[in-house]
C-alpha cells in the first residue's frame, strides 16, 4: 500500500511475512498464493506491499539463481504484490516449535550474518518495483547481550562497514539503493535506540541506520518523541519502522493480572518483560521468569515483548501499547516530512496467542492481518497522508 505524504513523498506500508513459516523458495511462493494475495483481496486493493522474510536457504537460492529471482518477481507481479523491504533479523527456523534464543544466531560477529545480509540486499535490488529505487532491510541489533564483548563488537562493526561498502557497490551496479537498519530489541546488546548511537557512530555510514520496532520501543519504556528526536539529532537515519504493539499489564501485583499474563507465557518465542523503577529499567528474559518469583518488581506496570494484534488489544485486565505506536507514527510521518518511508506491520505471534485467540483457519488469519493493515491505513490517513491507488 502506498501513501502520499503532504510533502509529496511516497510512504510504503507492508506487512511482514515472518508470520507465515517458510524456509525454502517454494514455501515463499506458497505464502504469496495462500496468504498475501487473500489479504490484498480483503482490503480491496490492486497492489499490496509485503515485507518478505527470506530464510538462509531461500535467500541463497534467489541470490545464486537469476531465473529463480525472476520467477519470484513474476509471482509477486501476478498476485498484485510488491516488495520494498525485507526482514533480515531471523536467519532460519523462525517457524520452529521453539525459537527462543536461537533467533539471535548468527550474530554480527559471525561472518555468516554478513554474507546472508549481503545476499538479501542483492535479492531486494532485483525485487524492487520498476518505479522504486530504494529498498530497506531490518537486521539483528548486533547480538544477544550475554556473549557480547569488546572483541565481538569490533568484529561486528567491521562487518557492518564491509556491508556498507557492498551496498555502495550494489547501487553503482544496479541503480538501486539499499539501506540496513539495526532493530533494537530487549535483551540484545542494542536494546534501545540510545544503545544504537555508539555502534552506528563506530560504523559511520549513512546506509546503516535503525529500524524502529514500536513493540520493542514500548517494552523498554522509551518515549517515542524523545527517542526519535535523539536519533535525528545524532544524524542516525530511521531506515524503516515496524508497527507492532506489546503486552501491557498496569497492575501486575494483582493475582488476576498475573493469571491473565500467564496465558501469554508460551514456549515458542522469548517474551522479554520489563518494568520501569525509580532506579531505571528492570527486566527478565522471558515472561515466565517474571511471573515465577521476585525477579521483577510488581509495584509498577509491566510490558512484555509479545506482538499482539494491532486491532485487537487483549481483554481486561491487560491491554496493548497501541498508544505508543500511535505516538511514534505521528512523529515518524506526521511532521512536515517523513522520518522514514517504509512502514511494516509485524505481528508474527498469531499462533502463539492464547488458544482461544488464535485464528483457527487460514481465512481467519487473513482477516486478522487485513484488519491490522486497515487500522494502520486509517492512522496514516488521519495524519494527513493520502492513500494511493
Amino acid at each position: 500500500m502506498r501513501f502520499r505524504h503532504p510533502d509529496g513523498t511516497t510512504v510504503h506500508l507492508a506487512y511482514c511475512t515472518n508470520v507465515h513459516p517458510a524456509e525454502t523458495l517454494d514455501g515463499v511462493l506458497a505464502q504469496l498464493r495462500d496468504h498475501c494475495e487473500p489479504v490484498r483481496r480483503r482490503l480491496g486493493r490492486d497492489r499490496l506491499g509485503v515485507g518478505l522474510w527470506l530464510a538462509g536457504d531461500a535467500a541463497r537460492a534467489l541470490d545464486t539463481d537469476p531465473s529463480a529471482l525472476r520467477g519470484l518477481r513474476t509471482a509477486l507481479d501476478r498476485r498484485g504484490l510488491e516488495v520494498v523491504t525485507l526482514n533480515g533479523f531471523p536467519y532460519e527456523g523462525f517457524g520452529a516449535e521453539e525459537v527462543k534464543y536461537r533467533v539471535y544466531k548468527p550474530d554480527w560477529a559471525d561472518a555468516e550474518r554478513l554474507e546472508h545480509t549481503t545476499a538479501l540486499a542483492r535479492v531486494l535490488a532485483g525485487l524492487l518495483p520498476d518505479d522504486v529505487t530504494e529498498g530497506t532491510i531490518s537486521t539483528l541489533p548486533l547480538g544477544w547481550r550475554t556473549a557480547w564483548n569488546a572483541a565481538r563488537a569490533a568484529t561486528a562493526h567491521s562487518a557492518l562497514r564491509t556491508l556498507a561498502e557492498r551496498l555502495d557497490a550494489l547501487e553503482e551496479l544496479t541503480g538501486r539503493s539499499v539501506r540496513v537498519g539495526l532493530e533494537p530489541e530487549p535483551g540484545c546488546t542494542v536494546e534501545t535506540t540510545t544503545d544504537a548511537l555508539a555502534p552506528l557512530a563506530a560504523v559511520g555510514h549513512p546506509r546503516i541506520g535503525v529500524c524502529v520496532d514500536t513493540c520493542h520501543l514500548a517494552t523498554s519504556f522509551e518515549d517515542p518523541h524523545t527517542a526519535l528526536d535523539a536519533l535525528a539529532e545524532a544524524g542516525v537515519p530511521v531506515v524503516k519502522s515496524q508497527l507492532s504493539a506489546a503486552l501491557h499489564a498496569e497492575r501486575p501485583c494483582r493475582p488476576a493480572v498475573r493469571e491473565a499474563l500467564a496465558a501469554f507465557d508460551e514456549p515458542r518465542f522469548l517474551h522479554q518483560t520489563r518494568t520501569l523503577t525509580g532506579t531505571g529499567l528492570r527486566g527478565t528474559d522471558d515472561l515466565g521468569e517474571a511471573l515465577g518469583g521476585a525477579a521483577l518488581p510488581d509495584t509498577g506496570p509491566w510490558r512484555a515483548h509479545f506482538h499482539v494484534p494491532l486491532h485487537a488489544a487483549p481483554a481486561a485486565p491487560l491491554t496493548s501499547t497501541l498508544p505508543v505506536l500511535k505516538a511514534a507514527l505521528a512523529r515518524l510521518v506526521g511532521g512536515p516530512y517523513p522520518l522514514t518511508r517504509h512502514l511494516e506491520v509485524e505481528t508474527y505471534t498469531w499462533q502463539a496467542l492464547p488458544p482461544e485467540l488464535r485464528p483457527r483457519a487460514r481465512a481467519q488469519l487473513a482477516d486478522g492481518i487485513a484488519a491490522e493493515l486497515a487500522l494502520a491505513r486509517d492512522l496514516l490517513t488521519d495524519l494527513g497522508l493520502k492513500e494511493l491507488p
Side-chain angles (χ1 to χ4, degrees):
M1 299 168 76
R2 299 187 184 192
F3 297 81
R4 182 75 69 205
H5 189 274
D7 78 340
T9 303
T10 299
V11 174
H12 294 263
L13 173 66
Y15 94 87
C16 185
T17 64
N18 63 354
V19 63
H20 312 304
E23 298 290 317
T24 66
L25 178 55
D26 284 344
V28 172
L29 293 169
Q31 288 176 349
L32 305 185
R33 178 193 67 225
D34 297 339
H35 300 287
C36 303
E37 186 175 7
V39 169
R40 177 183 65 77
R41 293 185 182 280
R42 279 163 171 75
L43 290 166
R45 305 295 302 159
D46 293 333
R47 173 173 53 189
L48 177 69
V50 290
L52 285 183
W53 172 61
L54 300 172
D57 286 346
R60 278 190 293 273
L62 291 165
D63 186 38
T64 57
D65 184 350
S67 66
L69 184 59
R70 287 193 299 270
L72 177 57
R73 173 69 184 273
T74 298
L76 289 164
D77 291 342
R78 186 173 67 249
R79 299 193 184 280
L81 307 169
E82 66 178 13
V83 174
V84 302
T85 190
L86 301 179
N87 185 333
F89 193 140
Y91 176 72
E92 62 185 2
F94 201 60
E97 291 186 5
E98 182 177 332
V99 179
K100 298 291 184 181
Y101 295 95
R102 291 170 50 191
V103 76
Y104 306 107
K105 295 293 183 180
D107 63 27
W108 272 100
D110 185 326
E112 182 53 34
R113 176 61 65 170
L114 171 62
E115 297 312 313
H116 175 59
T117 310
T118 302
L120 290 177
R122 289 193 289 254
V123 168
L124 181 57
L127 293 179
L128 289 175
D130 292 340
D131 61 344
V132 175
T133 59
E134 179 183 309
T136 58
I137 302 171
S138 48
T139 190
L140 177 76
L142 300 186
W144 187 253
R145 71 186 188 283
T146 53
W148 208 249
N149 55 38
R152 294 182 70 80
T155 301
H157 298 165
S158 176
L160 287 168
R161 285 191 289 269
T162 299
L163 175 66
E165 293 169 358
R166 293 178 179 180
L167 296 178
D168 284 342
L170 181 65
E171 183 173 16
E172 290 182 9
L173 179 66
T174 66
R176 303 295 180 88
S177 171
V178 175
R179 296 187 298 162
V180 173
L182 303 181
E183 182 185 331
E185 175 165 314
C188 292
T189 185
V190 176
E191 172 158 340
T192 67
T193 54
T194 300
D195 294 337
L197 298 181
L200 289 174
V203 173
H205 199 290
R207 289 201 188 274
I208 313 298
V210 166
C211 167
V212 174
D213 183 302
T214 58
C215 171
H216 303 173
L217 192 79
T219 301
S220 295
F221 285 85
E222 289 196 81
D223 174 73
H225 290 273
T226 301
L228 293 169
D229 286 350
L231 292 175
E233 184 176 348
V236 173
V238 180
V239 168
K240 64 185 276 190
S241 180
Q242 289 171 326
L243 306 183
S244 53
L247 188 63
H248 180 95
E250 186 65 23
R251 294 180 175 84
C253 59
R254 295 184 175 180
V257 175
R258 285 178 174 259
E259 182 180 356
L261 283 169
F264 288 83
D265 179 27
E266 55 81 40
R268 179 177 294 182
F269 302 109
L270 275 187
H271 301 297
Q272 302 93 314
T273 305
R274 299 289 185 267
T275 188
L276 194 60
T277 73
T279 57
L281 200 64
R282 294 277 301 278
T284 60
D285 283 356
D286 215 345
L287 180 56
E289 183 184 352
L291 291 169
L296 204 61
D298 61 6
T299 54
W302 286 4
R303 290 177 178 173
H305 173 216
F306 195 119
H307 290 221
V308 295
L310 302 187
H311 68 293
L318 304 179
T319 187
S320 80
T321 60
L322 184 62
V324 177
L325 184 159
K326 292 179 178 179
L329 195 60
R331 182 67 181 88
L332 285 167
V333 300
Y337 59 90
L339 299 184
T340 185
R341 294 182 292 278
H342 291 178
L343 305 171
E344 179 182 58
V345 170
E346 195 212 13
T347 304
Y348 58 82
T349 44
W350 281 94
Q351 297 301 337
L353 290 166
E356 66 276 11
L357 301 179
R358 295 175 194 168
R360 291 180 173 82
R362 187 182 294 167
Q364 287 182 314
L365 178 58
D367 289 342
I369 294 169
E372 289 193 290
L373 285 165
L375 182 147
R377 176 191 61 202
D378 292 346
L379 292 177
L380 291 172
T381 56
D382 286 348
L383 290 170
L385 282 74
K386 179 182 179 182
E387 187 176 5
L388 297 176

